Amino acid sequence: MKDRTLLMIPGPIEFEPAVLAALGAPTTSHVAPDFIEAFGQALERLREVFLCPDGQPFVVAGSGTLAMDLAGANLVEPGDRALVYNTGYFGDRYGALLERYGAQVTHVRAPVGGRPGLDEVESALEQIQPKLMTVTHVDTSTGVIADVEALSALAQECGTLIVVDGVCSVAGEELRMAEWGVDVALTASQKAISVPPGLALLVAGPRALDAFHSRETPVANYYADWSNWLPVMEAYEARRPSYFGTPAVNLIWALNVSVGQILDEGMDARVARHRSLSRACKAAIAALGLGQVPLEPEFAANTMTAPRYPAGVGAADLLPRIKKAGAILAGGLHPQIKAEYFRIGHMGPTNAGDLLATVGAVETGLAGCGYAFKAGTGVAAAIAAM
Ligand SMILES: *Cc1c(COP(=O)(O)O)cnc(C)c1O
């Protein structure tokens, strides 16, 4: 495509033509038989994408924050204790959200770019005995990935529900919901699920549904109440029409195309591809002499990279130059270090060519800012690491 500028931010991302075509198709009724079939199939496929055969998927029009809200509203009752495994901006958001529903929230935090130790989490769980713990799988403000498998094991030992904000991870990072004992995992369409913004996606496991069914107080959010959505999801999956709020028909058509493509690639192959692209991107950034926000290499996510600006180079200068050279990147998000770093998303349909073009654009931008390095260093490192 002529004049194409790659959208390489941590969501929204580049989308597949077949997904965009579904979005642009004439809108059907939400109770048309072929739409019911597509919605039902999308729900079945989501269970496979989340690797949760006994989970209940929810697809609701809204953004990722609504997906967070669905879990918070339906699982929290006033006075419940909650623990937030906090690795950045979205942990803060989850804490604020849970408090809105009356939870007593404790955060376990680490310095920016770090992550709380498992021992700290274990003692917090033992001391607080929370009803639920939220974990941001990849905090998009720091590029830090949490060890969800280990955290789930700790939560299970304490009988605490674990809710994983997988908005920047599901369908990009390894997340084995059932096998690891994750009770709720959630995401949004515009990240690694690879559908334009507008859908909140969530899968609730059996323990989360039990906790919901044994609530003593009504859900303090009308739109988010699972009582309204559960019959709708069950009906569509049984290929029957149902209604609570009009589904985002075209987005759901597009979702079904995308989750079909994701499963065609295979979850293991998809995770491996994301790891390979991430290795290449991080190798390029290191070779160019730039630091990264995650304090240790094993803390760094595979769906995005968070490079620090080199001395003397700032967002206002660098990012427009990179864009002119062909790649749109994102500035900082974490309030403490906002002006010190930028963010590269490499998830979903991103391929090796996109990544090399992005690294090339970063080199062009850096050179334009007067930063001294040997041209081609980043691209060579990326190719060697793929
Ligand atoms: C993007 C993101 C969100 C918020 O999603 P919206 O669609 O912007 O509401 C929440 N958590 C994480 C980890 C994210 O990356």
Side-chain angles (χ1 to χ4, degrees), residues 8 13 171-173 192 265 269-285 292 300-305 344-359 378-379 381-386:
M8 300 292 288
I13 59 170
E173 300 285 359
E265 181 177 14
R270 194 170 173 89
V271 167
R273 179 169 59 80
H274 280 78
R275 285 184 177 155
S276 159
L277 291 171
S278 175
R279 258 196 323 273
C281 188
K282 286 164 179 69
I285 292 304
Q292 289 171 42
N302 298 293
T303 47
M304 61 173 288
T305 299
I344 307 171
H346 32 74
M347 59 185 122
T350 301
N351 62 24
D354 297 334
L355 192 83
L356 293 177
T358 302
V359 173
V379 173
I383 290 170
M386 264 175 192

Side-chain angles (χ1 to χ4, degrees), residues 136-220:
T136 315
H137 195 176
V138 173
D139 198 298
T140 323
S141 72
T142 54
V144 169
I145 186 169
D147 184 347
V148 170
E149 186 177 10
L151 291 165
S152 282
L154 293 178
Q156 271 181 302
E157 270 170 40
C158 284
T160 294
L161 295 170
I162 174 165
V163 174
V164 174
D165 170 357
V167 180
C168 197
S169 83
V170 172
E173 300 285 359
E174 183 176 33
L175 177 58
R176 304 185 167 277
M177 211 184 144
E179 194 180 314
W180 293 354
V182 171
D183 295 298
V184 173
L186 58 94
T187 187
S189 50
Q190 77 274 18
K191 309 233 176 155
I193 289 278
S194 311
V195 177
L199 291 178
L201 307 170
L202 177 146
V203 175
R207 278 184 304 261
L209 289 172
D210 285 350
F212 164 70
H213 287 304
S214 51
R215 288 180 66 99
E216 286 170 2
T217 57
V219 172

